[in-house]
Amino acid sequence: MDGDWDEVARIPFPPPGVHALPTPVTTMTFDNSQELLWTGNDYGRVTSFLGTEMQRYTSFKAHSAADGPVRQILVNEKGVLALGAKDVHMALRRGLPLWHIRHDDIIDLRCMSFTSKGTAEIIVAGLQDTMLVIDLNKGEVVKQIATEHQYSIMKRGRYICAATKSGIVNLLDPVSFAVVKSWNAHSALINDMDAQHDFIVTCGYSLRQGQTYMLDPFLNVFDIKQMSSMPPIPFPAGAAYVRMHPRMLTTSIVVSQSGQIHVVDLMNPNTSNVRQANVMSYLSMFEIAPSGEAIALTDADCCIHLWGSPSKLHFVDLATPIEFATADDHAPQLEWGPETPLNSVGLPFYREILASAWPDLVSDVGAPPVRFDPEFLAGLKAADFGSYGRNTRGLRRNQAEDTRNTHRGGNTGLKAPKFLSEKAREFVISDSRVSDDETD
Amino acid sequence: GSELYRELENGRIARLLMKLGTVNERQEFDGDRAWSENGERYMLKLFRDYVFHQVDGNGNPVLDMGHMLRCLNRLDAGTEEKICLNSRDEQTSFVVSYKELKKQLANAFSELQKSCKSG
């Protein structure tokens, strides 16, 4: 973290409705190919923010509000994945849904991780005894795995590092998902975890005097090469959140709830770079961008703080351009009159079948009109706009009727065929006769 | 010749409007996830608003036939141009191409066709 790092932007996290109270960010992640920060809210909504100005980009519902917060977000080259307690939703970065999974074995999901298949497959887990493997290209559950442990955090390092609710981190084989090693990281529970390169780092709680949960005043480190834990790194302010630096392989950034930020080299913990984030309440989350040139912090006042060097801040090294709406080519303003032909606005160049192409459907255009039962008509009340009453016709609303057959009558024997107009006329005459009879 | 072309064009617009009319807001789709806020058909509802429910800065209706026809023509051809669709509560924003909308319309219409007795 360079000396000129500072808070470059602070935005209020959008509340869930126009007049609704703000709610905290439930999860966030930096995109790995575009200058976007992805966030989730308490009502299943995913919103992305663009660049240094944190301008709102897209926003969509990943699942219904009744199913609670967005638990975790992952991105791959195709799009963005949002995990809810009962749903897994994948969408394009532009917001369009790709697929959505609800499954009988999904009870209460909390976390997910990419597997051995790069970014084409994930495993999802939670407070349930089954983990599910999902093929991201097909949008299908491809495998179910029974688990003795229930997981709340997952990070993909060399292994899938999965934190339980009781302070243990299991190292799962990314192919077989078998537990390779169990590491007892904290005595009560794990608050935050990261895994990259050769290390797993954790922040957690201990139960003090048997009744209050206190953040441990140290960072716990596990060395994957040695398959053993390293001496904890002291952090007197109470280590709440931690991320490994994506570029500096042995560096981690540790943050306290009150906003103290330490940049620590795991190999040389005595030389740490300390900064203070300006928070009125307390911090609730922390993320680092893949470039290592930006970090985001969220606070209990529902704000997102973006930190970095004001001159160099970027999220990814070679960002793919953001896809915006195409600028309108300022079409000439036409004077629309009753005679202006619709083809004054031309059809763009096209190669494929037009959307207006109508399929080969048989359509009946000449049938006589529907005849209403006199009892039904008599039951209607007259009003200025027409007559109204209950639908007592024994037919559905807008039900299509075959008026050719119903009005054929009881005639037998052959008759000369009639034109449709003749039939329609006869029908109208017979109808008026019916109403005449009634008035008599 | 130009008269004929004009009528062909009108017929094309009419058929496209009929397709949009048959798929949007059908009662059968109530409770269908594909049409809900996280469903893939939700875009067609928002597109209907984008084309026909345009408003000015004061929220008054804008009845610009040029806008409606430009949008419909682009949908008909399925161009690569992208538009930003926003939900009525302004909470949801999508950036979507006419090509993607055309595909959604085709899917929705063919679903109706499949369950239609003459189709």
Side-chain angles (χ1 to χ4, degrees):
Chain A
M1 194 182 270
D2 293 346
D4 65 339
W5 271 55
D6 207 341
E7 184 183 297
V8 268
R10 179 186 299 204
I11 57 153
F13 186 52
V18 186
H19 301 293
L21 289 172
T23 58
V25 180
T26 59
T27 182
M28 65 175 170
T29 191
F30 280 97
D31 203 305
N32 53 20
S33 69
Q34 293 188 330
E35 292 287 294
L36 295 173
L37 175 70
W38 292 96
T39 61
N41 83 357
D42 257 319
Y43 303 85
R45 176 170 294 282
V46 171
T47 305
S48 53
F49 298 94
L50 171 61
T52 317
E53 257 105 75
M54 306 275 280
Q55 172 199 340
R56 213 183 92 153
Y57 177 50
T58 51
S59 180
F60 57 88
K61 253 323 196 7
H63 54 257
S64 72
D67 289 322
V70 180
R71 300 279 186 192
Q72 194 184 342
I73 298 173
L74 285 176
V75 290
N76 73 2
E77 57 290 349
K78 289 233 168 70
V80 51
L81 272 160
L83 185 86
K86 304 238 183 286
D87 313 68
V88 188
H89 183 86
M90 187 165 189
L92 294 178
R93 285 172 171 80
R94 290 183 284 117
L96 283 78
L98 285 171
W99 49 255
H100 190 97
I101 294 177
R102 266 184 101 91
H103 192 279
D104 289 344
D105 285 333
I106 293 182
I107 297 155
D108 188 1
L109 297 180
R110 294 301 170 99
C111 53
M112 59 182 168
S113 160
F114 290 119
T115 67
S116 60
K117 294 186 179 156
T119 55
E121 190 182 83
I122 54 165
I123 181 165
V124 300
L127 305 185
Q128 55 179 62
D129 299 327
T130 310
M131 300 190 288
L132 298 95
V133 180
I134 296 168
D135 179 324
L136 300 188
N137 294 323
K138 293 186 190 141
E140 279 170 15
V141 173
V142 288
K143 203 190 283 179
Q144 277 128 284
I145 299 145
T147 171
E148 292 169 48
H149 306 272
Q150 301 195 330
Y151 297 115
S152 54
I153 312 173
M154 273 185 168
K155 291 279 166 155
R156 173 85 166 93
R158 194 168 301 177
Y159 296 94
I160 295 170
C161 305
T164 68
K165 277 298 218 184
S166 54
I168 294 165
V169 176
N170 282 345
L171 277 63
L172 310 183
D173 181 298
V175 179
S176 68
F177 310 110
V179 178
V180 176
K181 169 91 185 168
S182 253
W183 171 42
N184 207 335
H186 296 268
S187 63
L189 57 96
I190 292 168
N191 191 50
D192 201 12
M193 170 177 78
D194 199 17
Q196 269 194 58
H197 323 300
D198 297 325
F199 303 102
I200 308 170
V201 282
T202 59
C203 296
Y205 284 90
S206 304
L207 201 54
R208 296 289 161 82
Q209 282 100 37
Q211 44 191 338
T212 46
Y213 286 98
M214 296 270 291
L215 274 171
D216 289 324
F218 51 81
L219 179 72
N220 259 334
V221 187
F222 188 86
D223 182 337
I224 291 173
K225 263 202 237 157
Q226 308 293 327
M227 273 300 200
S228 66
S229 55
M230 288 173 39
I233 292 171
F235 190 94
Y241 313 102
V242 62
R243 287 293 173 268
M244 289 297 297
H245 194 286
R247 294 291 149 79
M248 297 188 273
L249 304 189
T250 61
T251 299
S252 71
I253 302 180
V254 196
V255 179
S256 76
Q257 283 185 325
S258 58
Q260 232 183 72
I261 307 171
H262 286 212
V263 184
V264 197
D265 183 350
L266 300 179
M267 292 314 184
N268 191 5
N270 297 326
T271 56
S272 75
N273 178 346
V274 182
R275 305 298 302 268
Q276 176 66 43
N278 185 14
V279 277
M280 306 303 282
S281 51
Y282 60 89
L283 290 181
S284 55
M285 214 176 295
F286 162 54
E287 272 303 335
I288 187 159
S291 63
E293 296 293 342
I295 62 171
L297 303 154
T298 63
D299 65 28
D301 298 325
C302 309
C303 284
I304 304 176
H305 311 216
L306 185 69
W307 273 66
S309 156
S311 55
K312 286 195 297 197
L313 191 145
H314 62 276
F315 301 171
V316 280
D317 284 340
L318 284 167
T320 324
I322 300 279
E323 298 178 88
F324 293 108
T326 315
D328 213 357
D329 44 2
H330 293 287
Q333 209 58 52
L334 286 164
E335 274 304 315
W336 280 98
E339 294 303 314
T340 316
L342 300 188
N343 63 4
S344 309
V345 177
L347 183 67
F349 176 76
Y350 65 97
R351 285 173 184 282
E352 281 153 23
I353 292 180
L354 293 173
S356 57
W358 201 260
D360 230 353
L361 284 174
V362 180
S363 298
D364 187 349
V365 285
V370 169
R371 181 168 149 184
F372 296 111
D373 179 14
E375 272 178 51
F376 166 67
L377 291 175
L380 297 182
K381 288 191 190 78
D384 295 346
F385 54 84
S387 302
Y388 68 97
R390 285 172 60 85
N391 177 13
T392 55
R393 300 180 60 219
L395 297 172
R396 284 169 187 274
R397 166 178 179 265
N398 303 329
Q399 183 174 333
E401 291 177 66
D402 186 349
T403 52
R404 289 186 195 276
N405 292 331
T406 47
H407 299 300
R408 197 169 284 155
N411 303 327
T412 48
L414 283 172
K415 274 188 178 176
K418 285 176 179 164
F419 287 112
L420 286 172
S421 54
E422 288 179 289
K423 284 190 195 172
R425 197 183 310 134
E426 277 182 7
F427 170 66
V428 170
I429 292 166
S430 72
D431 237 19
S432 58
R433 206 172 289 144
V434 169
S435 42
D436 286 348
D437 291 348
E438 273 192 351
T439 46
D440 287 347
Chain B
S2 73
E3 282 295 311
L4 176 64
Y5 174 59
R6 187 166 149 173
E7 291 313 312
L8 278 173
E9 282 285 290
N10 294 352
R12 189 175 57 71
I13 293 291
R15 285 194 302 275
L16 186 58
L17 286 174
M18 283 190 232
K19 271 199 183 175
L20 283 168
T22 54
V23 299
N24 258 325
E25 307 280 352
R26 284 193 88 94
Q27 197 179 355
E28 303 95 292
F29 294 140
D30 278 359
D32 182 336
R33 203 203 57 83
W35 289 90
S36 74
E37 250 199 283
N38 57 22
E40 51 280 11
R41 302 282 160 79
Y42 186 51
M43 249 66 67
L44 290 175
K45 283 192 193 182
L46 299 186
F47 179 70
R48 186 260 326 268
D49 292 358
Y50 178 85
V51 179
F52 302 111
H53 300 180
Q54 224 188 3
V55 290
D56 65 14
N58 299 317
N60 298 315
V62 172
L63 305 175
D64 175 3
M65 265 180 88
H67 166 75
M68 294 181 227
L69 286 167
R70 271 194 302 279
C71 295
L72 290 172
N73 281 341
R74 285 168 189 172
L75 174 69
D76 206 1
T79 65
E80 302 278 356
E81 284 160 299
K82 295 187 186 80
I83 52 173
C84 184
L85 296 179
N86 292 299
S87 61
R88 292 179 180 182
D89 64 2
E90 307 277 352
Q91 296 277 304
T92 297
S93 349
F94 296 110
V95 178
V96 56
S97 70
Y98 283 99
K99 192 178 182 169
E100 286 159 330
L101 288 166
K102 182 185 173 186
K103 199 174 157 204
Q104 282 314 325
L105 177 62
N107 291 348
F109 191 78
S110 83
E111 193 182 316
L112 289 183
Q113 228 187 311
K114 262 181 242 154
S115 48
C116 142
K117 66 178 161 73
S118 56

